[in-house]
Amino acid sequence: MLKFGLRSRMILLFILVSLGSLMILNNVFQAQQQNIHNAMENLELSSQLRDIQLLTHEDSLRAETIMRDFNGAKAAVNISLTQSRMISGVVLLLVIVASSAVFVIVLSRINKPLTEMKRATEQIRQGNFSVHLPETGIPEMRELKNSFNVMSRELESVQTRLLAAEKEMIWKDLSRILAHEIKNPLTPIQLAIQRLEERLGSDPEHAKDILPESIAIITQEIENLRLLAQDFSSFAKITQPSIEKFDPTTSIREIIKSYTADYAIHTDLAESTLISFDRTHFYQIVTNILQNAIDASEADRPIWIKLFKERSFVVISIRDEGSGIEPQDLHRIFEPYFSRKSKGTGLGLALVKKLCDSNSAIIRVKSKPMEGSEFTVIIENQAV
Amino acid sequence: MFEALGSKLLAGVVSLSMLLFSTYTGNDPKLSGIRHTSSDSYIHLEANLISAFENDFPSIFTSGTTIPVQYQLTFKSGNRTVINRTYTNSVTFDPGKGTYEIRRAGTADAFFTRSYEEMLAVVSLFKVSVPYQVAWGTVHVKLESSLPTVSFAQVDKAVDLMILWKYKKPSAKTQIDLRKIF
């Protein structure tokens, strides 16, 4: 179906109104001229005069003169009629050509800046606020472009301020979390060392009795610090996925081996499935979600891991009966540094989301406070 | 060159505007191919105007004013113009007698007729004899016809009759090897 924009409508209106009127006028004029021409053709005097019986030679001469004058005048009038019809046609053609040229020039002077503005608006929509229009053309267009440029400069300035504020906020959050997380293990280390110092000072003979316990505390907290550093490092540098085909059921069974002794993990895993995924990333995703489920649940509460095929996808679901997530927090759980736990960096689920995205997988979560949460990962089934 | 270009441009504009915006049909004159024979040192050329006087000419030819029809003949040998002459056939109508007097180019005689058709046939015929030189070799012959500006005494008005041909000059071309026709 034909779409008529502003330019097309203007051209059509111009053609219909002005050119149409000119052509109607011309047709009327031409018709009148043709009528006169036909009337002239029907005028005939010479043959009639020649048929009249003239009495004298002077009469004949006079009649001859009359006929000559009449014929000459008739020829001149016919030629004039022909000239006027031709001239009106030529003038109309020239008027149409000239007015169309002027019209096209004026239209392009309006159309070109509008097209420029449309492109510039598109760039702003895509987030490029540095676009500016040259302030040229007719005065109205210059004013419009000037207003546009002022607007884009202000948007650019606002964007710069927003980016700076966002960066500052991120650094503040990061600093707060780091300070908190580093302080936590440092306190028990300090306490253990202080206890050793006191015992060495007051009862050096029995100082070695508390040495194993102190070493264990210090070692554990150093390990926690190392894990903290590892968490930040993992989140910061997510490598390009190295895709390989493997059976996810086998991988999940390997992952849960170290957990089944201490936790009630129940599985329902379909056989003969195949996914194209980065094996390390898959390991990290499942481990992080499982660890979250363990952290949210009490010691004896079950955790369900299910793997099944649905249409052309493999679906992995990890469900717990823990504390659940408040509805107002659900949309934020994949944000970096967001956590309602007393300890942790808040990077675990953010890492899971990033790994899913880089491997073209989908992650979803359902949760009810005090009832538990279910995390679902959907991956394309390569065995189909 | 510019004159030829200008006349072609004018003819084009007029034709287009008349096609689109005018009810006037005018005439579309053409020249038939040039026929040639030779004898002694003369080459005899003949051609005919076709469809040149169909519309609007009856009143012109019967006006009593002498109406010329011009024929421009050009012989070119290489880049050199060896012949460039204008020949004129003319028609004068006597309203008292009702006869047409036709004077043909290249002859001193006048031809009289009451018949309009016969008059047209004679005035449309181009027939001349031209002396030539064998040394010219192969010549390019061009014949072009046109109508001049005439004055109608009764109305004191000069009119360019080319308007009746829509400013288009009919022409014909041929090539003659003068060494072979001798």
Side-chain angles (χ1 to χ4, degrees):
Chain A
M1 192 178 140
L2 274 175
K3 275 191 180 177
F4 282 96
L6 176 67
R7 185 173 53 174
S8 308
R9 277 188 216 136
M10 284 175 74
I11 290 169
L12 204 59
L13 197 63
F14 173 73
I15 289 168
L16 284 174
V17 173
S18 62
L19 301 186
S21 324
L22 279 173
M23 287 177 71
I24 289 169
L25 187 65
N26 177 65
N27 285 349
V28 167
F29 176 74
Q30 294 279 337
Q32 289 298 318
Q33 297 280 300
Q34 183 66 37
N35 290 341
I36 297 169
H37 177 79
N38 293 343
M40 290 297 299
E41 285 296 304
N42 291 333
L43 281 175
E44 184 50 65
L45 185 66
S46 299
S47 56
Q48 287 155 19
L49 270 179
R50 275 196 294 275
D51 289 341
I52 292 172
Q53 193 103 17
L54 295 161
L55 295 171
T56 65
H57 181 64
E58 286 84 14
D59 289 340
S60 298
L61 282 174
R62 271 202 295 273
E64 201 176 304
T65 306
I66 290 166
M67 283 186 280
R68 203 183 295 277
D69 288 346
F70 175 78
N71 285 351
K74 185 179 161 184
V77 168
N78 274 340
I79 288 249
S80 295
L81 278 173
T82 303
Q83 268 180 334
S84 67
R85 286 159 83 184
M86 189 173 288
I87 287 167
S88 72
V90 170
V91 166
L92 181 59
L93 177 69
L94 293 176
V95 162
I96 287 172
V97 167
S99 59
S100 301
V102 166
F103 182 77
V104 165
I105 290 167
V106 168
L107 198 61
S108 70
R109 286 202 157 208
I110 297 170
N111 198 47
K112 189 181 161 201
L114 287 177
T115 308
E116 278 176 4
M117 193 156 295
K118 186 184 158 195
R119 280 197 210 115
T121 310
E122 181 60 33
Q123 287 200 42
I124 286 193
R125 196 183 67 80
Q126 289 172 0
N128 174 15
F129 298 120
S130 62
V131 65
H132 294 301
L133 295 169
E135 289 174 28
T136 54
I138 57 179
E140 292 80 2
M141 282 299 155
R142 281 205 298 270
E143 273 180 41
L144 187 60
K145 286 181 187 181
N146 176 260
S147 303
F148 180 90
N149 288 340
V150 165
M151 180 197 74
S152 77
R153 274 196 289 272
E154 281 174 9
L155 281 172
E156 196 178 6
S157 161
V158 165
Q159 186 193 41
T160 308
R161 289 200 298 271
L162 275 174
L163 281 172
E166 201 181 325
K167 238 188 229 178
E168 197 181 321
M169 200 178 72
I170 289 170
W171 275 112
K172 278 183 180 167
D173 278 344
L174 185 60
S175 307
R176 180 179 52 78
I177 291 165
L178 264 177
H180 180 264
E181 293 301 318
I182 289 172
K183 209 167 56 167
N184 280 348
L186 287 178
T187 305
I189 292 172
Q190 190 184 17
L191 286 173
I193 292 170
Q194 272 176 350
R195 276 185 65 204
L196 268 174
E197 228 176 3
E198 279 168 15
R199 188 58 71 89
L200 277 169
S202 59
D203 186 5
E205 289 286 319
H206 293 105
K208 60 179 188 225
D209 293 340
I210 62 165
L211 198 56
E213 188 191 334
S214 300
I215 289 171
I217 290 169
I218 292 167
T219 308
Q220 179 60 49
E221 295 306 332
I222 287 171
E223 175 63 17
N224 288 345
L225 277 172
R226 193 189 64 74
L227 286 172
L228 175 72
Q230 192 177 294
D231 263 356
F232 275 97
S233 174
S234 295
F235 186 75
K237 61 163 176 50
I238 290 185
T239 55
Q240 285 295 317
S242 172
I243 305 293
E244 53 179 298
K245 286 190 182 172
F246 60 93
D247 180 358
T249 300
T250 311
S251 292
I252 290 171
R253 286 204 179 107
E254 281 168 18
I255 293 165
I256 62 174
K257 260 187 205 165
S258 52
Y259 291 91
T260 45
D262 299 314
Y263 303 100
I265 297 177
H266 304 278
T267 60
D268 178 10
L269 307 174
E271 300 297 333
S272 308
T273 54
L274 207 63
I275 57 173
S276 285
F277 216 89
D278 183 305
R279 202 187 282 264
T280 311
H281 291 177
F282 183 80
Y283 180 90
Q284 285 177 292
I285 288 166
V286 173
T287 308
N288 267 289
I289 297 174
L290 185 57
Q291 189 59 53
N292 257 353
I294 291 167
D295 291 341
S297 308
E298 289 173 17
D300 58 341
R301 302 305 295 164
I303 292 168
W304 303 92
I305 303 179
K306 202 172 167 189
L307 186 149
F308 58 95
K309 289 180 247 191
E310 190 175 68
R311 297 195 187 94
S312 61
F313 297 97
V314 169
V315 182
I316 300 159
S317 147
I318 302 176
R319 183 168 62 84
D320 65 68
E321 293 176 8
S323 52
I325 304 166
E326 295 294 331
Q328 63 269 20
D329 293 336
L330 259 181
H331 69 285
R332 295 190 65 192
I333 58 165
F334 294 116
E335 283 177 20
Y337 319 118
F338 177 81
S339 176
R340 291 285 183 233
K341 293 195 278 196
S342 55
K343 64 175 197 172
T345 58
L347 290 175
L349 287 177
L351 179 65
V352 164
K353 176 78 168 58
K354 263 187 123 176
L355 292 172
C356 285
D357 289 345
S358 69
N359 283 274
S360 305
I362 309 279
I363 179 154
R364 294 208 179 111
V365 60
K366 281 192 289 194
S367 185
K368 269 199 179 141
M370 309 316 294
E371 284 186 28
S373 305
E374 183 181 4
F375 284 81
T376 309
V377 179
I378 305 169
I379 305 166
E380 201 162 326
N381 184 3
Q382 295 297 320
V384 171
Chain B
M1 186 184 86
F2 290 113
E3 198 186 316
L5 200 63
S7 66
K8 278 198 167 73
L9 185 65
L10 176 64
V13 168
V14 167
S15 293
L16 181 64
S17 62
M18 289 175 75
L19 177 71
L20 294 173
F21 305 122
S22 180
T23 53
Y24 177 66
T25 46
N27 298 281
D28 291 306
K30 293 179 196 49
L31 265 173
S32 69
I34 302 171
R35 303 177 293 279
H36 65 88
T37 55
S38 67
S39 65
D40 299 329
S41 301
Y42 288 89
I43 185 164
H44 311 292
L45 300 165
E46 259 188 53
N48 290 87
L49 270 172
I50 301 163
S51 305
F53 305 108
E54 287 170 354
N55 297 310
D56 297 318
F57 273 95
S59 60
I60 305 295
F61 282 129
T62 56
S63 64
T65 303
T66 300
I67 307 297
V69 179
Q70 292 172 338
Y71 297 89
Q72 176 93 24
L73 179 67
T74 313
F75 272 43
K76 270 192 173 171
S77 173
N79 286 334
R80 194 164 60 101
T81 302
V82 293
I83 292 177
N84 188 8
R85 280 191 204 139
T86 303
Y87 296 89
T88 304
N89 291 352
S90 64
V91 177
T92 311
F93 180 71
D94 185 343
K97 295 174 188 168
T99 54
Y100 297 95
E101 179 189 337
I102 306 112
R103 292 197 174 267
R104 275 201 9 238
T107 69
D109 304 325
F111 175 74
F112 292 88
T113 179
R114 278 179 177 271
S115 164
Y116 181 75
E117 289 72 24
E118 204 175 340
M119 176 275 295
L120 280 186
V122 174
V123 84
S124 300
L125 174 63
F126 173 77
K127 191 174 177 182
V128 297
S129 298
V130 174
Y132 71 93
Q133 292 184 38
V134 175
W136 292 345
T138 300
V139 292
H140 296 274
V141 181
K142 185 182 171 187
L143 181 66
E144 191 176 74
S145 182
S146 61
L147 298 170
T149 301
V150 296
S151 292
F152 292 94
Q154 293 80 8
V155 292
D156 190 24
K157 188 180 166 56
V159 175
D160 185 354
L161 293 178
M162 282 299 292
I163 197 170
L164 300 172
W165 279 1
K166 293 187 278 191
Y167 294 99
K168 210 171 6 175
K169 293 182 184 176
S171 66
K173 289 180 185 173
T174 192
Q175 204 170 296
I176 305 171
D177 189 348
L178 295 170
R179 289 164 297 202
K180 287 190 180 158
I181 65 167
F182 177 65

